[in-house]
Amino acid sequence: MAAAMSTTTTSSEPRWGLGDALAGWLVATLVGSILALLIFRAFGYTDQQVADQAVPLGLMFVANVPQWVGFVGAPYVAARTKGHGLVHDFRLRFRPIDVPVGVAAGLGAQLILAPLLSWPVLRLSGKSVAELERPARELADRAQGLGGTTALILLAVICAPIAEELFFRGLVLRAFEKRFGVVWAVVATAVVFGATHFQPLQFLALAGAGAVFALLAVRFDRLGPAIIAHMAFNAVTVINLLWLAT
């Protein structure tokens, strides 16, 4: 009898949904931004210095922690209180094959898809490639010495992909999937992912990459390939910018 009850509980539908995804996004984005500004001020940096990108990368890494905590915390809380855990609900699993698959998908998204999607944006807006790359270049310009380079790699290639994939391709994707089905879930997740970066010129490229990551999560039914692809996608930019800076 106890075994039968346990089986029923485990197989029941998780109760988390779009409300949990929205609440997690608000906490990670809004509360995370407020806490980041407070961290900058605690170290003596003004709002203008922050806007001018005059903050060391090490401090940028620290200031991003609240947002990452929000992105990881939202699916953790949702799965723990309304579901069956991160592994079961959001497919937080890895296999060795995820590495080559993810690297290939990430490189393709960065080197082929992103330029194709960015081209019409540049044509219609009259902006240049340099303006498109400015946010990433300004970030890389502060990667001075071993410490700065390490902070940049941790920031863009390790921590951000893990936190963002668990949230966007974990909670957000599966919440949309429960409500609207797989196709609309992939589209909606891509749009939300692109918009969350608040970079209009890069919106289409980021949304396209988000769609690739979502398709990987759906196709393989786990987050491993999407996380590796996201890491590879960001790593191409980081390596390119560090190479040009030398």
Side-chain angles (χ1 to χ4, degrees), residues 26-217:
L26 290 173
V27 170
T29 304
L30 299 182
V31 177
S33 296
I34 293 172
L35 292 176
L37 287 175
L38 293 176
I39 290 172
F40 291 139
R41 290 181 180 178
F43 281 85
Y45 289 91
T46 65
D47 293 349
Q48 187 59 51
Q49 288 176 307
V50 174
D52 292 339
Q53 303 288 325
V55 179
L57 269 179
L59 187 57
M60 279 287 294
F61 177 86
V62 174
N64 271 275
V65 170
Q67 184 182 64
W68 295 334
V69 170
F71 280 152
V72 173
Y76 173 79
V77 171
R80 184 174 178 82
T81 60
K82 300 180 180 181
H84 310 302
L86 291 175
V87 174
H88 180 278
D89 290 3
F90 305 127
R91 288 73 161 177
L92 186 58
R93 299 186 292 264
F94 296 86
R95 292 184 182 177
I97 191 63
D98 296 347
V99 175
V101 169
V103 169
L107 293 179
Q110 180 64 268
L111 299 176
I112 300 173
L113 183 61
L116 288 175
L117 294 176
S118 297
W119 182 81
V121 175
L122 296 178
R123 293 282 293 180
L124 293 173
S125 65
K127 302 293 185 180
S128 66
V129 175
E131 290 174 293
L132 179 71
E133 296 176 345
R134 182 183 300 164
R137 191 173 299 281
E138 289 175 344
L139 190 65
D141 286 343
R142 284 176 285 158
Q144 302 297 322
L146 179 60
T149 301
T150 301
L152 178 60
I153 293 173
L154 288 173
L155 178 72
V157 183
I158 306 298
C159 297
I162 293 174
E164 291 178 3
E165 288 309 306
L166 183 55
F167 181 73
F168 290 103
R169 260 61 66 176
L171 176 58
V172 177
L173 174 68
R174 300 305 173 180
F176 273 111
E177 184 181 18
K178 283 176 61 178
R179 186 72 175 270
F180 301 107
V182 174
V183 174
W184 284 111
V186 170
V187 173
T189 305
V191 171
V192 173
F193 178 72
T196 295
H197 288 78
F198 302 105
Q199 296 178 10
L201 288 179
Q202 297 187 14
F203 169 74
L204 278 183
L206 291 170
V212 171
F213 304 153
L215 288 170
L216 287 171

Side-chain angles (χ1 to χ4, degrees), residues 198-239:
F198 302 105
Q199 296 178 10
L201 288 179
Q202 297 187 14
F203 169 74
L204 278 183
L206 291 170
V212 171
F213 304 153
L215 288 170
L216 287 171
V218 170
R219 167 64 179 81
F220 292 93
D221 198 36
R222 59 181 183 273
L223 287 179
I227 292 175
I228 298 298
H230 197 154
M231 288 179 171
F233 182 87
N234 287 5
V236 172
T237 299
V238 170
I239 292 171

